[in-house]
Amino acid sequence: MTRTCFGSILRGFTVLAVGIGSLGLPSASSAQGQSDFLYVANQAAATISIIDVASNEVTETIDLQALGFSANAKPHYVVVEPDGSFWYVSLIAENTVVKFDRANQMVGQASFEAPGLMVLHPGNGLLYVGRSMAATNPPERIGVIDRGSMSIDEVDVFYPRPHALALNESGGQVYSASLGVNQVASVDVRTDFVNLTSLSGEQHAIVQFAVSPDGRTMVGTTQLTGKLLVFDLTAPNRPELVRSVSVGAQPWHPIFTPDGRLVYVGNKMANTVTVVDARRGRVVEVIEAEGIAQPHGAVTSPDGQWVYVSNNNTNGDYVSASGAVVGTVVVIDIETAEVVKVIEVGAGAAGLGIRSAH
C-alpha cells in the first residue's frame, strides 16, 4: 500500500445559485436549514437540481458553468455532511471534487482524476472517492480527501478501474470494487491497510455497494450479470459472498430501507426498479412506471417514507410536457412500492445525495 499526496486548488469564482429560468440567491429555507433537501447531479446538463423533500419540488438549480466549469463538467455523485453543513459533488470531466456549504456557496475543491462515486465517513473527517466508469484506464487507487482542508491522498487498491464504494462504519472499513476484474477491496479506515477478496465465476463489473443499517450485510450490483450480490460482513475486512439474486438488466445503485428490510435497486437497461427482501434474498416487487427511464441513483428520505430514484432518460423514454429531454427523479412510497410523483430535473440525472435538517 502506498499513498501519494496531491494538493487541492480553489478556483476564484463567485458562486451563484441558479433558479429555474433565472439567476438568484439561495432560498431562505436553504440558507437557514429549515428543510430536508435532495441534491441531483445532472450529468448531461452540468447542473445540480435541489429538491425540497417536504414538497418534492425543485427549488433551485446550480449552474456549474456560472461557476467557471465547462458545459461538459459531468457532475456525477453527491454526498452530504451528516449535519448538512457541507456537501460535495464529483465532476468527472473536470477531474475535480467540489465542496459547497449549506447555502450552496462553493467553498473548496480537490483535484482527482475522473472522480466518480464517493462515500463520507462521519467520524474521521475523510471523504473517499472512486473512479468514474467513463475512465477506461485510471490509476489503480482511490482518493482520500481531508474534508476540512480539501487536500487529497490516494490509496492503492491494486486492481483496474476501482468504482463501487461503501462504508461500514461499525466495522471500520471502506469497500471498493473493480469494474475490470472480480475483486473487492476492504480498506481499514484507521490504517489504510487493504485486503483483497476475489470472486469466482464470470466477470460481474460491480457497479455499486450498499451496507445494511446494522452493518452485517452488504449488497453489490453487477453491470454484466444482472445480479444483486449479497455479502456477509461478519469479518468486516473479508466480505463473504453468500448469495446472488437475479434482478433486471444492468442494476445500478442499490439502497437499503432504513429498517434494513428491503433493498431497492434501479435496473438501467430494463427501465424497472426491483425490490428485494433483504433477509430472504428474493425479489418481492418489480416496479414499472412513468418516469422510470434508465434508473441510476437511489436514496431514502430522512423520515423513511420515500425512496428517490434518479433516471438518466438519455434514450427519451420519458417525454416532458414541453417535449424536452429531461432527467427525472421518481418518488416511491416504501410501503406500497408505488411511484407517487415524477420530478423533472436536468438532463442525464445521475447520483443523488440527501440532507436532513434534523
Side-chain angles (χ1 to χ4, degrees):
M1 184 275 291
T2 62
R3 295 182 73 162
T4 307
C5 186
F6 295 89
S8 63
I9 302 172
L10 179 61
R11 298 189 185 200
F13 292 106
T14 301
V15 179
L16 300 175
V18 181
I20 298 174
S22 63
L23 291 172
L25 295 173
S27 67
S29 62
S30 173
Q32 297 171 8
Q34 298 301 309
S35 296
D36 299 332
F37 287 98
L38 176 68
Y39 302 88
V40 187
N42 302 312
Q43 189 165 310
T47 62
I48 301 156
S49 298
I50 302 177
I51 295 170
D52 188 319
V53 172
S55 63
N56 282 328
E57 299 284 349
V58 176
T59 58
E60 296 179 40
T61 302
I62 294 177
D63 183 350
L64 293 169
Q65 293 184 74
L67 306 181
F69 297 105
S70 72
N72 191 43
K74 293 186 177 179
H76 184 67
Y77 202 69
V78 178
V79 291
V80 186
E81 294 281 358
D83 65 0
S85 55
F86 299 100
W87 55 278
Y88 309 81
V89 60
S90 56
L91 306 184
I92 297 171
E94 299 285 352
N95 298 314
T96 301
V97 174
V98 182
K99 179 179 181 178
F100 290 86
D101 66 13
R102 185 189 301 273
N104 304 325
Q105 305 293 300
M106 185 173 66
V107 295
Q109 296 180 43
S111 297
F112 184 71
E113 183 179 337
L117 300 176
M118 302 182 291
V119 63
L120 181 151
H121 192 296
N124 70 2
L126 299 178
L127 174 67
Y128 299 84
V129 189
R131 308 286 178 171
S132 166
M133 187 176 285
T136 57
N137 190 31
E140 297 181 353
R141 301 186 295 271
I142 63 172
V144 184
I145 296 174
D146 182 302
R147 304 199 304 270
S149 65
M150 292 301 285
S151 61
I152 184 166
D153 291 348
E154 296 189 11
V155 174
D156 284 318
V157 290
F158 310 107
Y159 50 61
R161 306 184 68 196
H163 187 261
L165 277 181
L167 171 70
N168 181 359
E169 187 179 357
S170 61
Q173 303 288 328
V174 167
Y175 302 107
S176 170
S178 171
L179 291 170
V181 296
N182 284 348
Q183 287 190 310
V184 176
S186 303
V187 182
D188 189 294
V189 299
R190 296 168 294 271
T191 66
D192 288 339
F193 179 80
V194 177
N195 186 76
L196 295 181
T197 300
S198 296
L199 308 178
S200 61
E202 59 189 319
Q203 184 176 341
H204 289 299
I206 296 176
V207 176
Q208 179 59 319
F209 290 131
V211 174
S212 62
D214 63 10
R216 297 177 180 177
T217 304
M218 180 170 70
V219 295
T221 51
T222 68
Q223 181 185 17
L224 299 181
T225 54
K227 305 287 188 181
L228 185 74
L229 305 180
V230 182
F231 297 86
D232 184 290
L233 298 180
T234 299
N237 66 330
R238 295 183 181 275
E240 180 185 0
L241 180 61
V242 294
R243 182 183 295 118
S244 67
V245 183
S246 294
V247 289
Q250 292 195 8
W252 228 243
H253 294 181
I255 188 75
F256 278 88
T257 53
D259 58 12
R261 291 188 304 115
L262 303 171
V263 176
Y264 276 73
V265 58
N267 307 299
K268 188 180 285 288
M269 296 305 293
N271 287 354
T272 60
V273 175
T274 300
V275 186
V276 176
D277 183 309
R279 185 171 65 86
R280 295 181 175 86
R282 66 184 185 188
V283 174
V284 294
E285 296 279 353
V286 178
I287 306 169
E288 298 181 82
E290 183 181 34
I292 301 177
Q294 295 175 290
H296 189 116
V299 296
T300 59
S301 60
D303 64 4
Q305 183 176 5
W306 315 116
V307 168
Y308 294 93
V309 178
S310 61
N311 296 270
N312 301 159
N313 193 36
T314 56
N315 293 334
D317 294 314
Y318 172 85
V319 179
S320 70
S322 65
V325 177
V326 297
T328 69
V329 175
V330 294
V331 186
I332 302 174
D333 185 301
I334 287 178
E335 288 305 316
T336 65
E338 295 180 349
V339 173
V340 297
K341 188 168 186 177
V342 178
I343 306 170
E344 295 184 0
V345 292
L352 302 175
I354 199 148
R355 187 193 96 185
S356 174
H358 308 289

